[in-house]
Amino acid sequence: MNILVIGTGYVGLVTATCFAEMGHQVIGYDINKEKINLLQSGKPTIFEPGLDELITRNLQDKRLSFT
């Protein structure tokens, strides 16, 4: 399934990452370009235990992207 998550704050970022971990193709959308640049490089903008590893894995597997 292709999923677009609008907003990459506390809820959106975790939701997008978890959907990607489940095998879906997910795009996280946000208007904050600095936040998107960090996320594209695999650096989470919030703290949630294990989130950084999930983001990195799903970016590498091309199931997760940010724009």
PDB file of all heavy atoms in Angstrom, residues 36-64:
ATOM      1  N   ILE A  36      12.826  18.084   7.223  1.00  0.00           N
ATOM      2  CA  ILE A  36      12.869  17.089   6.143  1.00  0.00           C
ATOM      3  C   ILE A  36      14.307  16.713   5.822  1.00  0.00           C
ATOM      4  O   ILE A  36      14.622  15.532   5.635  1.00  0.00           O
ATOM      5  CB  ILE A  36      12.132  17.609   4.894  1.00  0.00           C
ATOM      6  CG1 ILE A  36      10.636  17.726   5.176  1.00  0.00           C
ATOM      7  CG2 ILE A  36      12.388  16.721   3.687  1.00  0.00           C
ATOM      8  CD1 ILE A  36       9.966  16.433   5.591  1.00  0.00           C
ATOM      9  N   ASN A  37      15.207  17.692   5.777  1.00  0.00           N
ATOM     10  CA  ASN A  37      16.617  17.400   5.505  1.00  0.00           C
ATOM     11  C   ASN A  37      17.207  16.479   6.564  1.00  0.00           C
ATOM     12  O   ASN A  37      17.956  15.553   6.245  1.00  0.00           O
ATOM     13  CB  ASN A  37      17.431  18.687   5.405  1.00  0.00           C
ATOM     14  CG  ASN A  37      17.100  19.478   4.158  1.00  0.00           C
ATOM     15  OD1 ASN A  37      16.633  18.935   3.176  1.00  0.00           O
ATOM     16  ND2 ASN A  37      17.334  20.779   4.204  1.00  0.00           N
ATOM     17  N   LEU A  38      16.886  16.723   7.829  1.00  0.00           N
ATOM     18  CA  LEU A  38      17.365  15.847   8.903  1.00  0.00           C
ATOM     19  C   LEU A  38      16.810  14.432   8.745  1.00  0.00           C
ATOM     20  O   LEU A  38      17.543  13.450   8.864  1.00  0.00           O
ATOM     21  CB  LEU A  38      16.972  16.413  10.270  1.00  0.00           C
ATOM     22  CG  LEU A  38      17.759  17.606  10.768  1.00  0.00           C
ATOM     23  CD1 LEU A  38      17.100  18.192  12.023  1.00  0.00           C
ATOM     24  CD2 LEU A  38      19.187  17.212  11.075  1.00  0.00           C
ATOM     25  N   LEU A  39      15.524  14.345   8.484  1.00  0.00           N
ATOM     26  CA  LEU A  39      14.898  13.032   8.350  1.00  0.00           C
ATOM     27  C   LEU A  39      15.437  12.269   7.151  1.00  0.00           C
ATOM     28  O   LEU A  39      15.650  11.052   7.235  1.00  0.00           O
ATOM     29  CB  LEU A  39      13.378  13.178   8.257  1.00  0.00           C
ATOM     30  CG  LEU A  39      12.694  13.674   9.535  1.00  0.00           C
ATOM     31  CD1 LEU A  39      11.244  14.027   9.259  1.00  0.00           C
ATOM     32  CD2 LEU A  39      12.814  12.643  10.641  1.00  0.00           C
ATOM     33  N   GLN A  40      15.680  12.950   6.039  1.00  0.00           N
ATOM     34  CA  GLN A  40      16.226  12.292   4.864  1.00  0.00           C
ATOM     35  C   GLN A  40      17.621  11.721   5.126  1.00  0.00           C
ATOM     36  O   GLN A  40      18.017  10.741   4.506  1.00  0.00           O
ATOM     37  CB  GLN A  40      16.275  13.263   3.681  1.00  0.00           C
ATOM     38  CG  GLN A  40      14.928  13.569   3.104  1.00  0.00           C
ATOM     39  CD  GLN A  40      14.966  14.650   2.039  1.00  0.00           C
ATOM     40  OE1 GLN A  40      15.862  15.477   2.009  1.00  0.00           O
ATOM     41  NE2 GLN A  40      13.969  14.640   1.174  1.00  0.00           N
ATOM     42  N   SER A  41      18.346  12.333   6.057  1.00  0.00           N
ATOM     43  CA  SER A  41      19.673  11.821   6.400  1.00  0.00           C
ATOM     44  C   SER A  41      19.616  10.797   7.533  1.00  0.00           C
ATOM     45  O   SER A  41      20.652  10.345   8.019  1.00  0.00           O
ATOM     46  CB  SER A  41      20.611  12.971   6.762  1.00  0.00           C
ATOM     47  OG  SER A  41      20.188  13.599   7.951  1.00  0.00           O
ATOM     48  N   GLY A  42      18.396  10.435   7.968  1.00  0.00           N
ATOM     49  CA  GLY A  42      18.246   9.395   8.983  1.00  0.00           C
ATOM     50  C   GLY A  42      18.297   9.873  10.410  1.00  0.00           C
ATOM     51  O   GLY A  42      18.403   9.061  11.333  1.00  0.00           O
ATOM     52  N   LYS A  43      18.206  11.177  10.627  1.00  0.00           N
ATOM     53  CA  LYS A  43      18.257  11.735  11.987  1.00  0.00           C
ATOM     54  C   LYS A  43      16.856  12.118  12.434  1.00  0.00           C
ATOM     55  O   LYS A  43      16.262  13.050  11.901  1.00  0.00           O
ATOM     56  CB  LYS A  43      19.172  12.952  12.017  1.00  0.00           C
ATOM     57  CG  LYS A  43      20.599  12.620  11.669  1.00  0.00           C
ATOM     58  CD  LYS A  43      21.458  13.850  11.674  1.00  0.00           C
ATOM     59  CE  LYS A  43      22.868  13.444  11.282  1.00  0.00           C
ATOM     60  NZ  LYS A  43      23.449  14.330  10.313  1.00  0.00           N
ATOM     61  N   PRO A  44      16.306  11.418  13.424  1.00  0.00           N
ATOM     62  CA  PRO A  44      14.962  11.752  13.889  1.00  0.00           C
ATOM     63  C   PRO A  44      14.933  13.125  14.567  1.00  0.00           C
ATOM     64  O   PRO A  44      15.906  13.550  15.173  1.00  0.00           O
ATOM     65  CB  PRO A  44      14.629  10.640  14.881  1.00  0.00           C
ATOM     66  CG  PRO A  44      15.911  10.011  15.237  1.00  0.00           C
ATOM     67  CD  PRO A  44      16.879  10.283  14.130  1.00  0.00           C
ATOM     68  N   THR A  45      13.799  13.791  14.455  1.00  0.00           N
ATOM     69  CA  THR A  45      13.640  15.122  15.034  1.00  0.00           C
ATOM     70  C   THR A  45      12.955  15.074  16.396  1.00  0.00           C
ATOM     71  O   THR A  45      12.747  16.108  17.006  1.00  0.00           O
ATOM     72  CB  THR A  45      12.838  16.016  14.084  1.00  0.00           C
ATOM     73  OG1 THR A  45      11.597  15.370  13.784  1.00  0.00           O
ATOM     74  CG2 THR A  45      13.610  16.248  12.785  1.00  0.00           C
ATOM     75  N   ILE A  46      12.598  13.877  16.833  1.00  0.00           N
ATOM     76  CA  ILE A  46      12.007  13.672  18.156  1.00  0.00           C
ATOM     77  C   ILE A  46      12.694  12.470  18.787  1.00  0.00           C
ATOM     78  O   ILE A  46      13.373  11.702  18.103  1.00  0.00           O
ATOM     79  CB  ILE A  46      10.485  13.408  18.077  1.00  0.00           C
ATOM     80  CG1 ILE A  46      10.197  12.119  17.287  1.00  0.00           C
ATOM     81  CG2 ILE A  46       9.758  14.601  17.490  1.00  0.00           C
ATOM     82  CD1 ILE A  46       8.790  11.623  17.404  1.00  0.00           C
ATOM     83  N   PHE A  47      12.497  12.300  20.098  1.00  0.00           N
ATOM     84  CA  PHE A  47      13.053  11.120  20.754  1.00  0.00           C
ATOM     85  C   PHE A  47      11.945  10.121  21.030  1.00  0.00           C
ATOM     86  O   PHE A  47      10.927  10.433  21.642  1.00  0.00           O
ATOM     87  CB  PHE A  47      13.742  11.461  22.071  1.00  0.00           C
ATOM     88  CG  PHE A  47      14.206  10.219  22.782  1.00  0.00           C
ATOM     89  CD1 PHE A  47      15.319   9.530  22.338  1.00  0.00           C
ATOM     90  CD2 PHE A  47      13.492   9.708  23.846  1.00  0.00           C
ATOM     91  CE1 PHE A  47      15.735   8.360  22.958  1.00  0.00           C
ATOM     92  CE2 PHE A  47      13.896   8.544  24.478  1.00  0.00           C
ATOM     93  CZ  PHE A  47      15.016   7.871  24.031  1.00  0.00           C
ATOM     94  N   GLU A  48      12.159   8.936  20.534  1.00  0.00           N
ATOM     95  CA  GLU A  48      11.309   7.784  20.816  1.00  0.00           C
ATOM     96  C   GLU A  48      12.249   6.587  20.775  1.00  0.00           C
ATOM     97  O   GLU A  48      12.969   6.406  19.789  1.00  0.00           O
ATOM     98  CB  GLU A  48      10.222   7.668  19.749  1.00  0.00           C
ATOM     99  CG  GLU A  48       9.190   6.604  20.011  1.00  0.00           C
ATOM    100  CD  GLU A  48       8.270   6.905  21.172  1.00  0.00           C
ATOM    101  OE1 GLU A  48       7.933   8.084  21.383  1.00  0.00           O
ATOM    102  OE2 GLU A  48       7.909   5.948  21.879  1.00  0.00           O
ATOM    103  N   PRO A  49      12.297   5.782  21.838  1.00  0.00           N
ATOM    104  CA  PRO A  49      13.248   4.666  21.865  1.00  0.00           C
ATOM    105  C   PRO A  49      13.137   3.772  20.633  1.00  0.00           C
ATOM    106  O   PRO A  49      12.049   3.317  20.277  1.00  0.00           O
ATOM    107  CB  PRO A  49      12.854   3.898  23.135  1.00  0.00           C
ATOM    108  CG  PRO A  49      12.189   4.911  24.003  1.00  0.00           C
ATOM    109  CD  PRO A  49      11.483   5.842  23.054  1.00  0.00           C
ATOM    110  N   GLY A  50      14.268   3.574  19.947  1.00  0.00           N
ATOM    111  CA  GLY A  50      14.330   2.696  18.789  1.00  0.00           C
ATOM    112  C   GLY A  50      13.917   3.329  17.472  1.00  0.00           C
ATOM    113  O   GLY A  50      14.068   2.714  16.415  1.00  0.00           O
ATOM    114  N   LEU A  51      13.399   4.559  17.517  1.00  0.00           N
ATOM    115  CA  LEU A  51      12.911   5.197  16.293  1.00  0.00           C
ATOM    116  C   LEU A  51      14.024   5.438  15.292  1.00  0.00           C
ATOM    117  O   LEU A  51      13.833   5.233  14.090  1.00  0.00           O
ATOM    118  CB  LEU A  51      12.208   6.519  16.632  1.00  0.00           C
ATOM    119  CG  LEU A  51      11.559   7.258  15.469  1.00  0.00           C
ATOM    120  CD1 LEU A  51      10.450   6.402  14.838  1.00  0.00           C
ATOM    121  CD2 LEU A  51      11.008   8.592  15.930  1.00  0.00           C
ATOM    122  N   ASP A  52      15.190   5.834  15.760  1.00  0.00           N
ATOM    123  CA  ASP A  52      16.305   6.110  14.845  1.00  0.00           C
ATOM    124  C   ASP A  52      16.682   4.873  14.042  1.00  0.00           C
ATOM    125  O   ASP A  52      16.939   4.954  12.842  1.00  0.00           O
ATOM    126  CB  ASP A  52      17.511   6.680  15.584  1.00  0.00           C
ATOM    127  CG  ASP A  52      17.965   5.824  16.758  1.00  0.00           C
ATOM    128  OD1 ASP A  52      17.187   4.972  17.231  1.00  0.00           O
ATOM    129  OD2 ASP A  52      19.104   6.024  17.200  1.00  0.00           O
ATOM    130  N   GLU A  53      16.678   3.716  14.677  1.00  0.00           N
ATOM    131  CA  GLU A  53      17.013   2.475  13.974  1.00  0.00           C
ATOM    132  C   GLU A  53      15.957   2.124  12.927  1.00  0.00           C
ATOM    133  O   GLU A  53      16.288   1.687  11.819  1.00  0.00           O
ATOM    134  CB  GLU A  53      17.140   1.324  14.971  1.00  0.00           C
ATOM    135  CG  GLU A  53      18.265   1.529  15.971  1.00  0.00           C
ATOM    136  CD  GLU A  53      18.161   0.581  17.160  1.00  0.00           C
ATOM    137  OE1 GLU A  53      17.234  -0.256  17.190  1.00  0.00           O
ATOM    138  OE2 GLU A  53      19.012   0.700  18.054  1.00  0.00           O
ATOM    139  N   LEU A  54      14.687   2.322  13.278  1.00  0.00           N
ATOM    140  CA  LEU A  54      13.608   2.027  12.337  1.00  0.00           C
ATOM    141  C   LEU A  54      13.647   2.965  11.140  1.00  0.00           C
ATOM    142  O   LEU A  54      13.446   2.535   9.994  1.00  0.00           O
ATOM    143  CB  LEU A  54      12.245   2.129  13.035  1.00  0.00           C
ATOM    144  CG  LEU A  54      11.948   1.078  14.097  1.00  0.00           C
ATOM    145  CD1 LEU A  54      10.615   1.376  14.780  1.00  0.00           C
ATOM    146  CD2 LEU A  54      11.933  -0.306  13.501  1.00  0.00           C
ATOM    147  N   ILE A  55      13.903   4.247  11.387  1.00  0.00           N
ATOM    148  CA  ILE A  55      13.993   5.206  10.289  1.00  0.00           C
ATOM    149  C   ILE A  55      15.132   4.822   9.353  1.00  0.00           C
ATOM    150  O   ILE A  55      14.961   4.765   8.135  1.00  0.00           O
ATOM    151  CB  ILE A  55      14.167   6.642  10.818  1.00  0.00           C
ATOM    152  CG1 ILE A  55      12.875   7.119  11.484  1.00  0.00           C
ATOM    153  CG2 ILE A  55      14.562   7.597   9.699  1.00  0.00           C
ATOM    154  CD1 ILE A  55      12.996   8.451  12.193  1.00  0.00           C
ATOM    155  N   THR A  56      16.298   4.552   9.921  1.00  0.00           N
ATOM    156  CA  THR A  56      17.463   4.201   9.114  1.00  0.00           C
ATOM    157  C   THR A  56      17.197   2.961   8.267  1.00  0.00           C
ATOM    158  O   THR A  56      17.459   2.947   7.058  1.00  0.00           O
ATOM    159  CB  THR A  56      18.697   3.971  10.010  1.00  0.00           C
ATOM    160  OG1 THR A  56      18.961   5.175  10.727  1.00  0.00           O
ATOM    161  CG2 THR A  56      19.911   3.583   9.193  1.00  0.00           C
ATOM    162  N   ARG A  57      16.653   1.921   8.877  1.00  0.00           N
ATOM    163  CA  ARG A  57      16.390   0.668   8.156  1.00  0.00           C
ATOM    164  C   ARG A  57      15.399   0.880   7.016  1.00  0.00           C
ATOM    165  O   ARG A  57      15.598   0.408   5.895  1.00  0.00           O
ATOM    166  CB  ARG A  57      15.866  -0.407   9.114  1.00  0.00           C
ATOM    167  CG  ARG A  57      15.531  -1.699   8.408  1.00  0.00           C
ATOM    168  CD  ARG A  57      15.210  -2.880   9.302  1.00  0.00           C
ATOM    169  NE  ARG A  57      14.254  -2.585  10.341  1.00  0.00           N
ATOM    170  CZ  ARG A  57      14.505  -2.762  11.651  1.00  0.00           C
ATOM    171  NH1 ARG A  57      15.673  -3.223  12.049  1.00  0.00           N
ATOM    172  NH2 ARG A  57      13.588  -2.497  12.543  1.00  0.00           N
ATOM    173  N   ASN A  58      14.341   1.627   7.268  1.00  0.00           N
ATOM    174  CA  ASN A  58      13.315   1.803   6.241  1.00  0.00           C
ATOM    175  C   ASN A  58      13.726   2.785   5.158  1.00  0.00           C
ATOM    176  O   ASN A  58      13.279   2.658   4.019  1.00  0.00           O
ATOM    177  CB  ASN A  58      11.990   2.184   6.897  1.00  0.00           C
ATOM    178  CG  ASN A  58      11.364   0.988   7.575  1.00  0.00           C
ATOM    179  OD1 ASN A  58      10.873   0.093   6.918  1.00  0.00           O
ATOM    180  ND2 ASN A  58      11.425   0.950   8.900  1.00  0.00           N
ATOM    181  N   LEU A  59      14.585   3.742   5.481  1.00  0.00           N
ATOM    182  CA  LEU A  59      15.162   4.596   4.445  1.00  0.00           C
ATOM    183  C   LEU A  59      16.051   3.764   3.528  1.00  0.00           C
ATOM    184  O   LEU A  59      15.983   3.888   2.303  1.00  0.00           O
ATOM    185  CB  LEU A  59      15.982   5.737   5.071  1.00  0.00           C
ATOM    186  CG  LEU A  59      15.205   6.916   5.652  1.00  0.00           C
ATOM    187  CD1 LEU A  59      16.163   7.838   6.406  1.00  0.00           C
ATOM    188  CD2 LEU A  59      14.469   7.686   4.567  1.00  0.00           C
ATOM    189  N   GLN A  60      16.868   2.915   4.113  1.00  0.00           N
ATOM    190  CA  GLN A  60      17.774   2.063   3.318  1.00  0.00           C
ATOM    191  C   GLN A  60      16.997   1.093   2.448  1.00  0.00           C
ATOM    192  O   GLN A  60      17.393   0.816   1.309  1.00  0.00           O
ATOM    193  CB  GLN A  60      18.733   1.305   4.233  1.00  0.00           C
ATOM    194  CG  GLN A  60      19.757   2.187   4.884  1.00  0.00           C
ATOM    195  CD  GLN A  60      20.601   1.432   5.907  1.00  0.00           C
ATOM    196  OE1 GLN A  60      20.305   0.314   6.294  1.00  0.00           O
ATOM    197  NE2 GLN A  60      21.670   2.086   6.346  1.00  0.00           N
ATOM    198  N   ASP A  61      15.908   0.562   2.973  1.00  0.00           N
ATOM    199  CA  ASP A  61      15.078  -0.378   2.215  1.00  0.00           C
ATOM    200  C   ASP A  61      14.124   0.319   1.248  1.00  0.00           C
ATOM    201  O   ASP A  61      13.338  -0.340   0.569  1.00  0.00           O
ATOM    202  CB  ASP A  61      14.274  -1.277   3.170  1.00  0.00           C
ATOM    203  CG  ASP A  61      15.164  -2.213   3.959  1.00  0.00           C
ATOM    204  OD1 ASP A  61      16.344  -2.409   3.567  1.00  0.00           O
ATOM    205  OD2 ASP A  61      14.694  -2.759   4.973  1.00  0.00           O
ATOM    206  N   LYS A  62      14.182   1.641   1.227  1.00  0.00           N
ATOM    207  CA  LYS A  62      13.377   2.476   0.320  1.00  0.00           C
ATOM    208  C   LYS A  62      11.874   2.311   0.509  1.00  0.00           C
ATOM    209  O   LYS A  62      11.077   2.434  -0.431  1.00  0.00           O
ATOM    210  CB  LYS A  62      13.777   2.232  -1.135  1.00  0.00           C
ATOM    211  CG  LYS A  62      15.229   2.560  -1.396  1.00  0.00           C
ATOM    212  CD  LYS A  62      15.533   2.601  -2.855  1.00  0.00           C
ATOM    213  CE  LYS A  62      17.007   2.739  -3.146  1.00  0.00           C
ATOM    214  NZ  LYS A  62      17.685   3.846  -2.612  1.00  0.00           N
ATOM    215  N   ARG A  63      11.471   2.011   1.734  1.00  0.00           N
ATOM    216  CA  ARG A  63      10.046   1.973   2.051  1.00  0.00           C
ATOM    217  C   ARG A  63       9.586   3.298   2.647  1.00  0.00           C
ATOM    218  O   ARG A  63       8.394   3.560   2.741  1.00  0.00           O
ATOM    219  CB  ARG A  63       9.748   0.841   3.054  1.00  0.00           C
ATOM    220  CG  ARG A  63       9.829  -0.532   2.456  1.00  0.00           C
ATOM    221  CD  ARG A  63       9.341  -1.575   3.430  1.00  0.00           C
ATOM    222  NE  ARG A  63      10.096  -1.572   4.672  1.00  0.00           N
ATOM    223  CZ  ARG A  63      11.053  -2.433   4.980  1.00  0.00           C
ATOM    224  NH1 ARG A  63      11.387  -3.374   4.114  1.00  0.00           N
ATOM    225  NH2 ARG A  63      11.675  -2.364   6.128  1.00  0.00           N
ATOM    226  N   LEU A  64      10.534   4.123   3.086  1.00  0.00           N
ATOM    227  CA  LEU A  64      10.221   5.379   3.759  1.00  0.00           C
ATOM    228  C   LEU A  64      10.992   6.508   3.086  1.00  0.00           C
ATOM    229  O   LEU A  64      12.188   6.371   2.822  1.00  0.00           O
ATOM    230  CB  LEU A  64      10.621   5.279   5.240  1.00  0.00           C
ATOM    231  CG  LEU A  64      10.362   6.482   6.131  1.00  0.00           C
ATOM    232  CD1 LEU A  64       8.866   6.799   6.207  1.00  0.00           C
ATOM    233  CD2 LEU A  64      10.919   6.206   7.538  1.00  0.00           C
TER     234      LEU A  64
END
